[in-house]
Amino acid sequence: MQTLAEFKNLIHLSKRQICEEIFSENADKIKVKKPERVVKNLAKIFDATLSISNAKGFQAMSLRDLSEASGLSMGALYSYFTSKDELVHMIQEQGRRVTTRVLTEHIEAVQGALEQLRAVIVAHLYISEVLQPWFYFSYMEAKNLPKKQRKEAIVSELGTEKLISDILIQGQTQGIFRLTDPELSAALVKALLQDWYLKRWKYRSRDISVETYAGTVLEWVERFVLV
Amino acid sequence: MQTLAEFKNLIHLSKRQICEEIFSENADKIKVKKPERVVKNLAKIFDATLSISNAKGFQAMSLRDLSEASGLSMGALYSYFTSKDELVHMIQEQGRRVTTRVLTEHIEAVQGALEQLRAVIVAHLYISEVLQPWFYFSYMEAKNLPKKQRKEAIVSELGTEKLISDILIQGQTQGIFRLTDPELSAALVKALLQDWYLKRWKYRSRDISVETYAGTVLEWVERFVLV
DNA sequence: GTCTATACATAGATAGAC
DNA sequence: GTCTATCTATGTATAGAC
């Protein structure tokens, strides 16, 4: 099984690079034009947003809180987004893009249903480890978002689940897996994957590493799906 | 396996009864004195609170929202609680009391580790089905609560998990179960239990009944823990 | 017991100086 | 580009009539 360190090397996912992507996607809405400055300040803004929101909720985070934590004045903040809703949208959009890319790349890198199942499980756990604040935020705030963004979140949730159920179905037609309901099985796998980033405080306090967790999930799933 | 209908008959859990308990626990803080009236209005207030909060978040629910949805004026609301924090505390407290009672009763009703494991899994799924809005609320809002209440929520989370891990350990010493890490296994079981009430929209849209879900979880868990 | 009216604080957002 | 000062809306909570 791939380790987290190997995974990190493979994906080259720097905070800087993510913010650069966000900048180029939202260049029209961001009033500041000097790329280097934008990237630096966006990183501060996103970090602070995730940190405060994950502690007490996005709605409860005032822009004065954000101003203080990010080190930018309220006026300056509004040079990087035009409303609180737009801020959360930028964050959501970018996290989804990265996640989808990483998962599909890891699935396509290997052959065979069992290998692909292992790949998607491990990749999901590792990417949620690397981007834990984003995953937690995304899960917890989804229901509080404006309607359009809520829809996007649901599509995304079902999308990753379909990656898993497709693999399960493929394995079943190949005679490798045996399942009564691949969709339900995929949902349960997803639940195990999500618990990692939802309860990270618990696993950390028990010194459970993501590799240990991944190993256990793989055992559970394989014992259930394999013929 | 017990059905949901049988479970409901067994626990005699009426909304009315729950609100009566809340009343007697908080008689000092509630200004209205006529029991019948209090119970009726508390039910309206709690229903509306859970419904609005689960749609857009407790913090985003204004007391004007709550006033409109419950049919009570803002002034009247404050006859039943003295602050928004106290309202959420009443709700949390009561749900926890009911849940703990139901789970321990169901565990103590049967003998043997495997039977107890089955009992706690099914009971947890069923009680979270009956009180779904409360479970969802409790999970989603826990991190946004004031410090003292947040602690209580964590204690409660770890408490139910310990019910499971104790059973696992007991089964292991009896030679019925084989596990490398009972605590981690209990955590994974809990994750599966929680997914039921966290994603109920998904399971409902797929016509998965709680009995079907319970059956699948039992299969997964048994295949993993049994020697 | 419940209502309406209102006090007071804090929220998001913007204008204009630098 | 960023700041301070400020506008307006909305929040929680309460007072006092009924």
Side-chain angles (χ1 to χ4, degrees):
Chain A
M1 195 181 78
Q2 195 182 35
T3 66
L4 177 63
E6 289 163 1
F7 174 82
K8 281 183 182 170
N9 278 335
L10 208 69
I11 58 169
H12 304 295
L13 194 71
S14 72
K15 193 170 291 179
R16 198 193 148 71
Q17 192 188 335
I18 293 180
C19 290
E20 276 169 9
E21 269 191 61
I22 297 181
F23 181 30
S24 62
E25 290 278 331
N26 297 277
D28 50 331
K29 291 167 188 164
I30 295 173
K31 295 184 187 72
V32 182
K33 293 304 166 198
K34 210 172 174 186
E36 196 177 342
R37 183 178 287 269
V38 174
V39 168
K40 196 186 67 186
N41 283 339
L42 278 181
K44 281 186 200 167
I45 292 171
F46 293 155
D47 280 352
T49 301
L50 293 181
S51 161
I52 300 170
S53 298
N54 288 349
K56 64 178 191 181
F58 180 72
Q59 153 88 18
M61 175 192 79
S62 73
L63 290 177
R64 287 176 180 82
D65 292 339
L66 181 57
S67 165
E68 193 178 359
S70 66
L72 287 149
S73 69
M74 292 201 36
L77 288 178
Y78 277 91
S79 305
Y80 294 90
F81 51 80
T82 62
S83 73
K84 226 181 148 187
D85 273 357
E86 193 184 284
L87 168 61
V88 75
H89 185 242
M90 282 164 64
I91 293 178
Q92 289 284 88
E93 190 80 5
Q94 198 50 28
R96 270 202 293 273
R97 197 195 326 278
V98 172
T99 301
T100 307
R101 198 184 66 209
V102 168
L103 289 186
T104 52
E105 278 177 7
H106 273 75
I107 292 175
E108 286 165 4
V110 294
Q111 298 274 320
L114 181 57
E115 281 308 309
Q116 290 195 329
L117 182 61
R118 284 178 182 153
V120 72
I121 287 173
V122 172
H124 196 288
L125 289 172
Y126 285 176
I127 188 66
S128 73
E129 172 72 5
V130 174
L131 302 180
Q132 196 269 347
W134 181 85
F135 273 82
Y136 188 85
F137 175 86
S138 195
Y139 191 100
M140 286 299 184
E141 300 297 339
K143 75 174 198 305
N144 308 335
L145 299 175
K147 196 171 173 183
K148 194 188 159 218
Q149 293 189 45
R150 204 163 55 233
K151 285 236 169 178
E152 290 171 357
I154 291 177
V155 169
S156 171
E157 152 88 14
L158 296 178
T160 35
E161 195 169 312
K162 191 161 185 306
L163 291 178
I164 300 172
S165 63
D166 281 351
I167 294 172
L168 292 180
I169 291 169
Q170 195 198 334
Q172 200 162 26
T173 59
Q174 292 173 359
I176 307 168
F177 300 157
R178 183 164 45 205
L179 296 159
T180 51
D181 185 341
E183 283 205 334
L184 181 51
S185 301
L188 296 192
V189 173
K190 188 110 203 278
L192 297 179
L193 299 182
Q194 292 182 319
D195 207 58
W196 175 252
Y197 60 81
L198 291 172
K199 304 277 178 59
R200 217 173 87 164
W201 58 273
K202 190 173 73 180
Y203 294 117
R204 183 177 291 147
S205 78
R206 293 180 185 169
D207 282 322
I208 307 277
S209 71
V210 66
E211 283 96 346
T212 304
Y213 190 86
T216 309
V217 171
L218 286 178
E219 256 194 274
W220 274 56
V221 174
E222 287 176 21
R223 206 173 293 193
F224 191 76
V225 303
L226 284 177
V227 169
Chain B
M1 196 182 77
Q2 195 182 35
T3 65
L4 177 63
E6 290 163 358
F7 175 82
K8 280 183 183 170
N9 278 334
L10 209 69
I11 59 168
H12 304 296
L13 195 71
S14 72
K15 194 171 290 176
R16 198 191 149 70
Q17 192 189 336
I18 293 178
C19 290
E20 276 168 11
E21 268 191 63
I22 298 179
F23 181 32
S24 62
E25 290 278 331
N26 298 276
D28 50 329
K29 290 167 190 163
I30 296 174
K31 295 185 189 71
V32 182
K33 292 305 167 199
K34 211 173 170 186
E36 195 178 341
R37 183 178 288 269
V38 174
V39 168
K40 197 186 68 188
N41 283 339
L42 279 181
K44 282 187 198 166
I45 293 171
F46 293 155
D47 280 353
T49 301
L50 293 181
S51 162
I52 300 170
S53 298
N54 289 348
K56 64 178 190 181
F58 180 73
Q59 153 88 19
M61 176 191 78
S62 72
L63 290 176
R64 287 183 180 88
D65 292 340
L66 182 56
S67 165
E68 193 178 359
S70 66
L72 288 148
S73 69
M74 294 205 32
L77 287 178
Y78 277 91
S79 305
Y80 294 90
F81 50 80
T82 63
S83 74
K84 228 182 147 187
D85 273 358
E86 193 184 284
L87 168 61
V88 76
H89 185 244
M90 282 164 64
I91 293 177
Q92 289 284 86
E93 189 81 5
Q94 198 50 29
R96 269 202 294 272
R97 196 196 325 278
V98 172
T99 301
T100 307
R101 198 184 67 208
V102 167
L103 290 185
T104 52
E105 277 177 8
H106 272 74
I107 292 174
E108 288 166 2
V110 293
Q111 298 274 320
L114 180 57
E115 281 309 309
Q116 290 195 329
L117 181 61
R118 285 178 182 154
V120 72
I121 288 172
V122 172
H124 196 289
L125 289 172
Y126 286 176
I127 188 66
S128 73
E129 171 72 5
V130 174
L131 302 180
Q132 195 268 346
W134 181 83
F135 273 82
Y136 187 85
F137 175 86
S138 194
Y139 191 100
M140 287 298 182
E141 300 296 339
K143 75 175 196 307
N144 308 334
L145 299 176
K147 197 172 176 184
K148 194 189 159 216
Q149 293 189 45
R150 204 164 55 233
K151 285 235 170 179
E152 289 169 359
I154 291 178
V155 169
S156 171
E157 152 89 14
L158 296 179
T160 36
E161 196 170 313
K162 190 160 187 303
L163 290 178
I164 300 172
S165 62
D166 282 352
I167 295 172
L168 293 179
I169 292 169
Q170 194 198 335
Q172 200 161 24
T173 59
Q174 292 173 359
I176 307 169
F177 300 157
R178 182 165 46 205
L179 296 158
T180 51
D181 185 343
E183 282 205 334
L184 181 50
S185 302
L188 296 191
V189 173
K190 188 107 204 280
L192 297 179
L193 299 181
Q194 292 182 320
D195 207 58
W196 174 253
Y197 60 81
L198 292 172
K199 305 277 177 59
R200 219 174 86 164
W201 58 273
K202 191 173 74 179
Y203 295 117
R204 183 176 290 147
S205 78
R206 293 181 186 168
D207 282 322
I208 307 277
S209 71
V210 66
E211 283 96 347
T212 304
Y213 190 85
T216 309
V217 171
L218 286 178
E219 256 195 275
W220 273 57
V221 174
E222 287 176 20
R223 207 173 291 193
F224 191 75
V225 302
L226 285 177
V227 170

